[in-house]
Amino acid sequence: MVAGQGSPIVFVQGSGSFYKAMLVKTCDLLPLLLVVVTRKDEELTWTGFVEDTLVHHFEVGGMTDGAWSIMSNQKLSLETSGLR
Amino acid sequence: MILQPVNSSKQMTEERSLKRTKSMGTIEGVDLVPAGRKRLKVFTQDDLVLRDMLPCELMDAYDVKVTMQDALTEVSRVHSVPLSMVFVLEAPGKLFTSVGHAVLKGLLNPAAAKMEQMKTEEANLAPDEVHSPIFSVAAKALDTQVLDSATVEPIKKEVSLEPDVKAAMEDNAAVNFEVWDKRSVQNFDETAVSRGALKGCIVRRRVVSFSTPSKSFFFGVIDATSCEAF
């Protein structure tokens, strides 16, 4: 959670059950922005996300052949970090 | 990190290299590290020895921070337990870094993000929708060649070519009662009210209002001299 003006920004990484558990815990802190990073083999049936993109690690400058789902309630434009 | 696939200082053929990669779990050249794999084998720089990939190398591949690498190694050494390799099951650090940059870029510069969104929306609009509704109606009328009065009159009403008199007057300027009087009299429909009835209604007061079955009038200034004209 990032402190700042307005609603908090919440990043959630993990499975669907983990995400739902976190949502229950933070029900009184409606997040301005929510990002979920989960494995590509997760069953993604949640609603409320405008962004649901499968991102490969190498697309952002990484070295593995894995891919993860980036889900967000706001539009995100991911860029490579350029680091290796 | 890795290493040309050679055997006894001789470059391996691509076919044999691929076979060994699959059978032994090795990677080479610009290959990516298989996600979720805890043990990988690599060639050393002397081209002779096959070895397991070091945990620190695997941590580098998964973008584990150096401080976190030190902490994990220290825990493993102090407690004499195998190094936790659970990080291979998690999303690598560069994914989070890129997400963080995207979020901060949007939040710290909302104007640029809004402009980008408007450009995207405008690009998705049809050309005639970009302009005002008046021009859209006119464009549609021209497209269909239907310029009947029902189409033209609403456009003429909205697009007035007459100068805006109200806009030319200052807010605090004195009211020109003379123009007001003339305008009121000129707009008065005297056929709706008989002259006799009108004379009966007029009294010697500065302000008088009239009501007829068809419309209501408000006369700003009427005095005795004005009544003589009737």
Side-chain angles (χ1 to χ4, degrees), chain B residues 155-166:
Chain B
I155 299 174
K156 287 172 67 178
K157 284 182 179 177
E158 294 201 50
V159 186
S160 175
L161 298 177
E162 297 177 359
D164 191 348
V165 178
K166 286 193 292 185

Side-chain angles (χ1 to χ4, degrees), chain B residues 30 51 175 198:
Chain B
V30 293
R51 65 165 174 82
V175 176
L198 185 63

Side-chain angles (χ1 to χ4, degrees), chain B residues 4-230:
Chain B
Q4 291 297 320
V6 293
N7 189 8
S8 299
S9 301
K10 293 182 181 179
Q11 188 81 25
M12 293 178 64
T13 63
E14 186 176 350
E15 181 182 2
R16 189 176 176 189
S17 172
L18 184 63
K19 184 178 179 181
R20 187 168 67 175
T21 300
K22 288 184 176 177
S23 62
M24 297 178 143
T26 59
I27 55 177
E28 60 186 69
V30 293
D31 284 350
L32 296 170
V33 175
R37 193 85 63 85
K38 294 181 180 178
R39 292 176 64 88
L40 288 171
K41 297 181 185 300
V42 296
F43 291 100
T44 56
Q45 290 182 348
D46 59 11
D47 300 335
L48 295 176
V49 178
L50 195 67
R51 65 165 174 82
D52 286 341
M53 180 183 275
L54 295 174
C56 62
E57 292 174 338
L58 208 50
M59 288 183 191
D60 284 338
Y62 273 85
D63 311 319
V64 179
K65 288 184 178 179
V66 175
T67 54
M68 181 61 71
Q69 291 186 24
D70 294 341
L72 290 174
T73 308
E74 186 68 10
V75 168
S76 173
R77 188 185 63 81
V78 170
H79 297 282
S80 300
V81 294
L83 182 64
S84 174
M85 303 294 283
V86 70
F87 59 84
V88 301
L89 302 175
E90 303 296 333
K94 282 193 174 65
L95 280 173
F96 294 109
T97 304
S98 59
V99 170
H101 283 173
V103 170
L104 292 175
K105 187 178 179 183
L107 292 181
L108 292 179
N109 196 359
K114 184 70 177 176
M115 185 67 71
E116 193 68 25
Q117 182 184 356
M118 290 174 64
K119 284 182 180 177
T120 306
E121 290 175 354
E122 185 173 325
N124 295 332
L125 287 176
D128 60 336
E129 291 176 330
V130 177
H131 305 296
S132 68
I134 295 175
F135 291 111
S136 298
V137 172
K140 287 176 183 175
L142 291 173
D143 286 344
T144 55
Q145 298 295 319
V146 180
L147 290 175
D148 55 352
S149 59
T151 305
V152 174
E153 288 303 322
I155 299 174
K156 287 172 67 178
K157 284 182 179 177
E158 294 201 50
V159 186
S160 175
L161 298 177
E162 297 177 359
D164 191 348
V165 178
K166 286 193 292 185
M169 182 181 288
E170 295 178 5
D171 292 340
N172 297 325
V175 176
N176 190 342
F177 288 102
E178 186 178 356
V179 175
W180 191 7
D181 295 343
K182 287 180 180 176
R183 185 183 178 90
S184 300
V185 175
Q186 286 170 355
N187 291 342
F188 179 68
D189 186 4
E190 60 181 320
T191 60
V193 182
S194 67
R195 180 165 293 189
L198 185 63
K199 280 186 175 178
C201 293
I202 295 176
V203 294
R204 292 180 179 276
R205 292 175 59 181
R206 297 289 295 177
V207 177
V208 179
S209 62
F210 288 92
S211 292
T212 67
S214 59
K215 60 179 86 173
S216 297
F217 300 97
F218 180 76
F219 285 70
V221 179
I222 299 179
D223 56 17
T225 55
S226 300
C227 292
E228 295 298 327
F230 295 100

Side-chain angles (χ1 to χ4, degrees), chain A residues 51-66:
Chain A
E51 187 82 3
D52 182 0
T53 310
L54 190 68
V55 179
H56 291 267
H57 190 196
F58 66 83
E59 291 174 346
V60 291
M63 296 184 67
T64 76
D65 63 357

